[in-house]
Amino acid sequence: MSLVLLLFLFIVIINPTTALALALALASKTLHDLQRQALFQTGWWCSYINSTSDHCQWYGITCDADGSVTHIHLFRLYNCDSLGLNIANLNLSSLIPSLILLDLGDSSLGGSIPSEIGMLSNLKYLRLNHSRLTGELPFEIGKLTQLLELDVSYNQLTGSIPPALGNLTHLQSLVLTSNYFTHQLPSSIGNLINLEILYLNDNQINGFIPSQIGNLNSLRDLDISFNNLTDPIPFSIGNLTNLESLYLEYNHITGFIPSQIGKLNCLRYLFMSHNNLTGSIPSAISNLTSLEGLYLDNNHITGSIPSSIANLRQLYYLDISNNNVSGQIPSSLSCLADQYGTYVNLLDNHLEHFPKCLSSNQPSKCHQHNCFSSNKILYIKLCIPIAMFIALFILGFIFLYLRNHKANNSIQDEATMSRKEGDLFSIWNFDGNIAFKDIIEATQDFDIKYCIGTGGYGSVYRAQLPTSKVVALKKLHRLEAEDPIFDRSFNNEIKMLTQTRHRNIVKLYGFCLHKRCMFLIYEYMERGSLFYVLRKDDEAAELEWNTRVEIVKAIAHALAYMHHDCNPPIVHRDLSTNNILLNSEMKGFVSDFGTARLLHPDSSNQTLIAGTYGYIAPELAYTMAVTEKCDVYSFGVVALEILMGKHPLDLVSSSSMTNVMLSEVLDERLPPPRSKSDIQDITFVVLIGLACLNDKPKSRPTMKWVSQQFLSGRRSIPCKPPHEISLMEMKNYSKHLIVEVSSQQDIEMSTFSSN
């Protein structure tokens, strides 16, 4: 018997308490050594062994007070021996008692998930996304009963989804996106009653959606798009009353759209396009008053469009194209498109005719206002943009003709300026008649006391009309009016804004072009420019995190519309926080189109550099070729500035971001984000912003992709507290966003070029 053992037995006899403490210390040291050895033998941390032998100090390792490993969180792995990067290199048995989080996402590990993973009985977070994993998802994962989050997305996993996953009743997030899972969804998935996120898209899952899915009362996001699902949607889908997004597109789903969907009061996004759905659109869909995106295109839907669909006043997009819908287009749909700026696509159906514009004396159908006055036009995708442009000018000339023949209403002096040869005064897109004299009287001939802003181009005035409507007037100074550069910019803004109609682009109500008085009439924005708000501490404090994210979304939707839905596409060229205006509800609108440019496919699109310093894309320093990617870069700057509260370019252009944490750059005038949704949204905006700031224009995402990402609400991204993630990590991860959409980008660019 060894001397050490004899000594230990003596201590046990003399003082059992001391012996127990000694035994625990020895066991702890042994476990500490086993874990250190297990980590070192992977070959993943070999570069750290020379700096410190304490594995608790290694990158991505967190230990508890006893020195046991609780968290392994590696954003990237760099091996430096011949073992290679393989998940099998990690000896999981030594981590059984203490490991809570295992995050090897984006590590390009390779190999298959070992069955021993089921031994990690205390594991709560398992993230193996973007890791080139192969093989099947082992059923032993079903033994991890404490698991809250499981993410194995963007791998090459095959086989069926194991029914044993139904044992993970504490699970809140299950993400299996972009693998090769086949067979039918197990009915045991209905046991996951605490599940909030279920992403199964981009697989080869077939069969039907089990009715047990209706048990998931906590579910917020359900995505089973891009699979091989068949059979009708189960009626139990109506039980998911907390659901905010439902994605079932690109499957082979048959049958009717169940009316039970109308029970999903929280639903914001409903994607059912590219299926084999039949029957009519249920009127119950009009109950979904929070809906922002409704996609039913490319199905076999019949019947007529329910007139009650006009209740969906939060809609950004309504797409019913490529179906067998027939009958009349409801006039109430005109309200949705005109008053709320909804993008409507009804192409390739069997609809009888386009709804007539409602006259000004007809009863209201939208918020007690006329849906259309006689001088309004309906903007739905069925309208050819050229026809819209011609119609505007016809209305303008009719208006001028009538004014010239009303001698008793003509104005004799220069202050009221009757129309003279060479002058043009036009008002449209507005409820009621606006006379020039109303503008003059409302501003007392542009008295300085009504001035709310001044710039190089002139001044902006606030005017309250006799109807109590408040508008903003951008008036060009007399000297600037004689300058060809300012004159071109002024005319350019009129040209651009008469061709655009989007809920996140400031509305142009009319204009006056006169030798000695030129002004534009805009929708009034009570809070002014975003630049001003961000630089006033008290006003910036009103911009809470969710409000700032919504402003970023609004800008993205507006740019996507300009780049991809206008023909020819429009590039803003001067996007900055100065040109984002806020209304009384702190909603954002893109403004100031004086330097905007139409992109023609048969033109070089070269021009002089325009824009605001700090927001201009770097390629314009060596080329004058304007592309939509110039706006994408500016959007990235603006998105980061909104979250940081100040211009971000000095920071994001720096190469030393490794030790700068996200929490250090967020606007300190707001409390740090606490809720999971705020953290997720902020992280996503920063990732998108960094991706948009790529020096190579072709490596930036398109605004269409950015807009769709915001609409879909998908978040296959790391969601860590801001104090735990560095900007360098986020910059590296943003590159993977581009890789993820590279093929889609090529498709979008070819479409863009052909417009």
Side-chain angles (χ1 to χ4, degrees), residues 240-259:
L240 307 180
T241 53
N242 288 307
L243 204 63
E244 296 180 8
S245 57
L246 174 60
Y247 304 94
L248 300 175
E249 74 264 36
Y250 287 94
N251 280 284
H252 308 289
I253 299 173
T254 59
F256 298 170
I257 301 173
S259 60

Side-chain angles (χ1 to χ4, degrees), residues 276-314:
N276 297 318
L277 294 171
T278 56
S280 59
I281 302 172
S283 59
I285 278 185
S286 62
N287 298 332
L288 308 179
T289 53
S290 297
L291 207 61
E292 297 180 24
L294 175 57
Y295 294 80
L296 304 176
D297 55 289
N298 292 280
N299 279 286
H300 307 293
I301 297 173
T302 56
S304 60
I305 301 174
S307 60
S308 59
I309 208 165
N311 294 338
L312 307 179
R313 291 166 182 166
Q314 301 299 319

